[in-house]
Amino acid sequence: MKRQKITYGVYNIVEWHALLKSGKATISVHFVNGATTTAGVVPAVFTTSDPIIQIMIERTEEYRSGRIKRIRTYDLGGNVEGQKNPVAINLPTAEQPTEGEDYKQDEQQTEEDESTTEEQAEEAEEASEVEEESTVVTVKVSDLAAAKDYLADTYGISRTALRSRKAIEEQAAAQGIVFEGLD
């Protein structure tokens, strides 16, 4: 099948959002830019270079009945090739050991990899804790209302969730903020 870019059109319609059925599948196609003027009729068009969509459109009842028509076809060069899923079969060969020394080495390597992964996870956790401690931001405010406004405007926290001093301080702590000037 040749690679093509095809423009489909629907006459006497300005815009049409079509749900076309092709077999058991349904495809959504948006035809746009149609017009009826004194100079003539411009069809609403849809352009695609996807061969699957092209096949589906051409297998619909609307295309077969002539409501949807091919307006233009451009050759893009080359052919469309189907992709096949390769079947992977892992059978032991003479080169692949199934038992013995090599098997034990694989087990040791797996244990070493697991211990290295655990160490890396612990280091990352410690680093994130240090970052959390150092990312506390101090914000100067004049009163509780200013603190409430800052949290609501900056972080989108609902003002109804910020009714008390305790609630404001809890939300600030959750965002890594310490308010300076609240007495």
Side-chain angles (χ1 to χ4, degrees):
M1 180 175 180
K2 288 184 180 178
R3 233 178 125 77
Q4 297 177 328
K5 184 175 187 179
I6 301 174
T7 300
Y8 298 96
V10 179
Y11 286 89
N12 298 322
I13 292 180
V14 175
E15 186 172 340
W16 181 35
H17 186 79
L19 292 173
L20 305 173
K21 291 189 177 197
S22 177
K24 292 184 179 181
T26 302
I27 185 170
S28 175
V29 180
H30 198 102
F31 291 89
V32 294
N33 299 332
T36 303
T37 64
T38 56
V41 176
V42 177
V45 294
F46 173 75
T47 303
T48 183
S49 59
D50 187 349
I52 295 171
I53 293 175
Q54 292 169 357
I55 290 169
M56 288 184 70
I57 289 173
E58 293 176 6
R59 290 185 179 173
T60 63
E61 183 61 36
E62 289 85 352
Y63 183 81
R64 283 186 259 141
S65 69
R67 182 168 186 195
I68 299 173
K69 298 179 180 180
R70 270 192 188 196
I71 305 296
R72 288 181 288 281
T73 303
Y74 304 102
D75 285 329
L76 299 176
N79 290 327
V80 177
E81 296 180 15
Q83 296 179 355
K84 295 182 180 178
N85 293 334
V87 177
I89 300 175
N90 291 328
L91 297 175
T93 62
E95 297 172 2
Q96 294 177 332
T98 55
E99 294 181 17
E101 292 287 324
D102 292 331
Y103 181 72
K104 291 178 183 176
Q105 288 178 345
D106 288 344
E107 282 183 353
Q108 291 172 351
Q109 183 66 32
T110 303
E111 290 173 3
E112 290 173 5
D113 290 345
E114 288 174 359
S115 64
T116 305
T117 306
E118 290 173 4
E119 290 173 8
Q120 290 173 345
E122 289 174 6
E123 290 173 3
E125 188 175 315
E126 290 172 4
S128 67
E129 288 175 2
V130 170
E131 286 180 17
E132 287 176 8
E133 292 173 4
S134 65
T135 58
V136 174
V137 177
T138 303
V139 178
K140 292 183 181 181
V141 292
S142 58
D143 58 1
L144 279 175
K148 180 191 290 188
D149 291 339
Y150 179 82
L151 289 172
D153 295 340
T154 307
Y155 296 100
I157 299 171
S158 171
R159 292 178 192 277
T160 57
L162 303 171
R163 290 185 179 173
S164 67
R165 179 186 185 105
K166 181 179 176 184
I168 291 170
E169 289 174 350
E170 287 175 356
Q171 290 293 334
Q175 300 300 328
I177 298 172
V178 173
F179 287 117
E180 185 178 298
L182 293 179
D183 291 271

